[in-house]
C-alpha cells in the first residue's frame, strides 16, 4: 500500500493512519480508565459517607430541608409511574419510606433510632422507586 493510501487528510497536513489509530487507542484507553475510576469511586464514596458525618457540621435544619425536597420529588415520580403501570405497590412502599424518614426527624438527634429510621426509610423509598421502574418496564414490554 502506498504512503498516499496510508494517510488521512487532516486540515493542511497529512497524518499517517497509524498515528490516528494510536491516538484513538490512547483516547479509548483514557475513557476506559475514567470509566473504571468512576465505577470504583462511587461505591467507595458511598461506603465513606458515614465518616463524612464526623467532619460536616451538625445542621439541624438539613434533614428537614432534604425531606422537603424528597417528598415532592419522590411523590411526583411515584405518581407518574402509577399513572403508567397502575400498580399501587411501588407508591405505597415509597410513601411508607417517606413517612419513616419524617419520623426520624422526631427521634432524638444523633441517636441510633434516628439513624435506623433514616436509613430504613431511605431504603424503602429507593425500593419503591426501583419497583416503580420495574413496573413501568414490564408495562411497556
Amino acid at each position: 500500500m502506498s504512503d498516499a493510501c496510508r494517510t488521512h487528510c487532516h486540515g493542511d497536513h497529512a497524518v499517517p493512519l497509524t498515528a490516528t489509530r494510536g491516538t484513538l487507542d490512547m483516547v479509548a484507553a483514557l475513557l476506559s480508565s475514567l470509566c473504571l475510576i468512576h465505577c470504583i469511586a462511587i461505591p467507595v464514596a458511598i461506603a465513606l459517607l458515614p465518616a463524612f458525618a464526623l467532619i460536616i457540621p451538625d445542621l439541624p435544619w438539613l434533614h428537614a430541608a432534604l425531606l422537603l425536597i424528597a417528598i415532592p420529588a419522590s411523590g411526583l415520580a411515584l405518581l407518574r409511574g402509577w399513572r403508567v403501570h397502575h400498580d399501587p405497590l411501588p407508591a405505597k412502599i415509597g410513601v411508607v419510606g417517606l413517612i419513616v424518614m419524617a419520623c426520624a426527624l422526631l427521634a432524638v438527634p444523633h441517636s441510633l433510632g434516628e439513624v435506623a429510621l433514616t436509613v430504613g426509610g431511605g431504603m424503602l423509598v429507593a425500593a419503591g422507586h426501583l419497583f416503580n421502574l420495574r413496573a413501568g418496564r414490564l408495562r411497556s414490554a
Side-chain angles (χ1 to χ4, degrees):
M1 186 182 296
S2 72
D3 286 338
C5 292
R6 291 185 189 150
T7 59
H8 169 70
C9 187
H10 187 7
D12 292 336
H13 61 282
V15 177
L17 280 178
T18 54
T20 303
R21 284 188 194 131
T23 302
L24 290 175
D25 285 332
M26 287 175 35
V27 169
L30 176 65
L31 291 174
S32 295
S33 299
L34 290 175
C35 182
L36 177 64
I37 290 168
H38 168 76
C39 291
I40 291 172
I42 288 177
V44 169
I46 289 171
L48 292 176
L49 280 177
F52 290 125
L54 300 174
I55 58 173
I56 296 173
D58 183 27
L59 305 172
W61 53 268
L62 184 60
H63 285 154
L66 292 173
L67 186 62
L68 288 175
I69 293 168
I71 289 172
S74 290
L76 182 62
L78 293 169
L79 178 63
R80 284 184 174 178
W82 174 78
R83 287 183 176 166
V84 169
H85 54 69
H86 303 291
D87 182 359
L89 184 62
K92 287 179 180 179
I93 293 171
V95 167
V96 168
L98 290 170
I99 291 169
V100 170
M101 289 172 62
C103 290
L105 289 175
L106 304 174
V108 178
H110 304 294
S111 70
L112 184 58
E114 178 191 19
V115 172
L117 288 172
T118 301
V119 170
M123 290 175 70
L124 285 171
V125 172
H129 286 293
L130 291 174
F131 288 139
N132 200 35
L133 286 169
R134 183 171 181 239
R137 286 186 183 140
L138 290 175
R139 171 84 172 149
S140 64

